[in-house]
Amino acid sequence: MKRTYCLEVSGDFACFTRPEMKVERVSYDVMTPSSARAVFESILWKPAIRWHVSKIEVIKPIRWVSIRRNEVGAVVSVRNAQEAMNKGSGTLGLNIEDERQQRAGLFLRDVAYRIHAHFELLPNAGENNSMGKFLDMFERRAEKGQCVNQPYLGCREFACNFRLIDTTQPQAAPIAETRDLGWMLHDMDYSKPTDPQPRFFRAQLESGVLRIPAWDSEEVRG
Amino acid sequence: MALNNRYDFVLLFDVKDGNPNGDPDAGNLPRVDAETGRGLVTDVSLKRKVRNFVGLVKGEQPPFDIYVKEKAILTQQQEKAYLALGLDPKGKDGKRKGGDDVEIAKKWMCQNFYDIRTFGAVMGLKEANCGQVRGPVQLTFARSVDPVVAQEHSITRMAVATAAEAEKQDGDNRTMGRKFTIPYGLYVAHGFVSAHLANQTGFGEEDLELLWQSLAQMFEHDRSAARGEMATRGLYVFKHESQLGNAPAHSLFARVQPKLKDGASVPRDFNDYSVTVDEAELPQGVTLQKIVG
């Protein structure tokens, strides 16, 4: 009983950062499958299921904006925290003026996508978890606009609206654009949780539609 | 210590003769969306002000300490009452194993630092890349309701910094500088509080109250030559009855509509705007709290 759901997501900005340009972030032209997966997961996710994105439709023209921000170039040190915990004293704060980095970002602006996905029940789901239960849960939540956290387009500051789409109803056509988007991140492979590996696929935009090959197909390489 | 409700909020603030957020790419001009002419204020700029406000009000003491500090409020934290929280630093049996320890440290950081509990933080980890805390509060870029025009002002200084400079000017000792302001701009930002993530970081009701207070008052404590007059003009909080929420956020945000009043073509004051808040027939399970405005 596989059902494909379609969500329309839209927002003012988006940044699906290319891994090779992440210091000064440059977005992919189109939403990545991993980011689309995260949108579905923000509405419903349990350890028993896994989402698979099959198609991304681009509804608005691809437009860009460059924004430079002051960012922090340091991370919280676990060791310092542990030391302070044990000693009962210490300095933990971080002076942003000492750790400042100014980073530009090339973001997408005014975006809207229709993302299509289904989920599979994992083998270790257990007897209490049936497909139907999750299907009902997802539909109920998505229709009401419920979510665990507000979904976003690549970065958390680019929160997005979402709406469950009835695919039997006519929808606005995707943009009339056909081009090769090059190699794009498909998703991270978390089979070794301590060492996740990225996997890529050749993204082709055909009349505004990006078809996503199955995770285990030959087109996806890591 | 847990939230039972999801919240979505709309923050309205304005600036008068000031620069709400300079753009480092454009010589500190106020940020402007080049295509629409509307002003922008980044999410990080607003979060900075929340941090500063909380640091000021709570004196940077646990459990309201601030991790990402600004030098302006420099108080060295020494010999703090870290252990006063009743947390045994050595763990239950005094033994520590790598993995568990990181979780304990993360939890402990959340308990002590307001900004980590609220906005999250990336904790340094070499072995596993799961060392981050996702905070419940998510903010978006703020945009002005109408296009803004940045004005450049040349200003003079009746002194110079160095003797060499004075010599060059034959003792005239005057330099010029530049300053950018927006005559007036009313900005709208959207925000979200996820109950599920709140429960993961221990962000509780008291923290939420502090968040509302800081959003309402943060500009009052952020005066400077560059900012001009900034003030929070509206804080509309949609409280959902359930943790997951009862309505889509965008449908709630659409109920708060600031508009230029008829006859006011050039806004120069908050009175030139009218803010309509559609409270009629709110979706079931959603209540509106008007904290400001």
Side-chain angles (χ1 to χ4, degrees), chain B residues 114-156:
Chain B
Y114 182 79
D115 57 340
I116 294 183
R117 212 157 59 229
T118 307
F119 302 126
V122 176
M123 305 263 279
L125 267 184
K126 286 204 180 87
E127 297 81 36
N129 77 343
C130 52
Q132 23 177 312
V133 182
R134 259 204 311 173
V137 179
Q138 195 176 340
L139 273 167
T140 64
F141 278 23
R143 270 175 185 240
S144 67
V145 178
D146 289 298
V148 294
V149 178
Q151 292 185 331
E152 182 182 347
H153 310 275
S154 287
I155 48 177
T156 54

Side-chain angles (χ1 to χ4, degrees), chain A residues 181-216:
Chain A
L181 298 175
W183 286 94
M184 182 190 255
L185 178 74
H186 188 293
D187 210 328
M188 301 294 284
D189 180 359
Y190 291 101
S191 51
K192 265 194 281 172
T194 50
D195 185 26
Q197 292 296 321
R199 287 173 67 79
F200 297 88
F201 73 110
R202 192 71 189 242
Q204 308 274 359
L205 194 65
E206 279 165 35
S207 309
V209 178
L210 181 64
R211 284 186 193 284
I212 316 292
W215 171 249
D216 48 7

Side-chain angles (χ1 to χ4, degrees), chain B residues 265-287:
Chain B
S265 56
V266 185
R268 284 294 179 263
D269 194 276
F270 185 60
N271 289 326
D272 294 335
Y273 282 94
S274 62
V275 182
T276 52
V277 183
D278 180 8
E279 290 179 77
E281 292 171 38
L282 278 167
Q284 212 188 350
V286 177
T287 49

Side-chain angles (χ1 to χ4, degrees), chain B residues 7-11 138-140 189-193 253:
Chain B
Y7 298 85
D8 299 311
F9 60 93
V10 178
L11 174 72
Q138 195 176 340
L139 273 167
T140 64
H190 292 160
F192 312 89
V193 184
F253 292 151

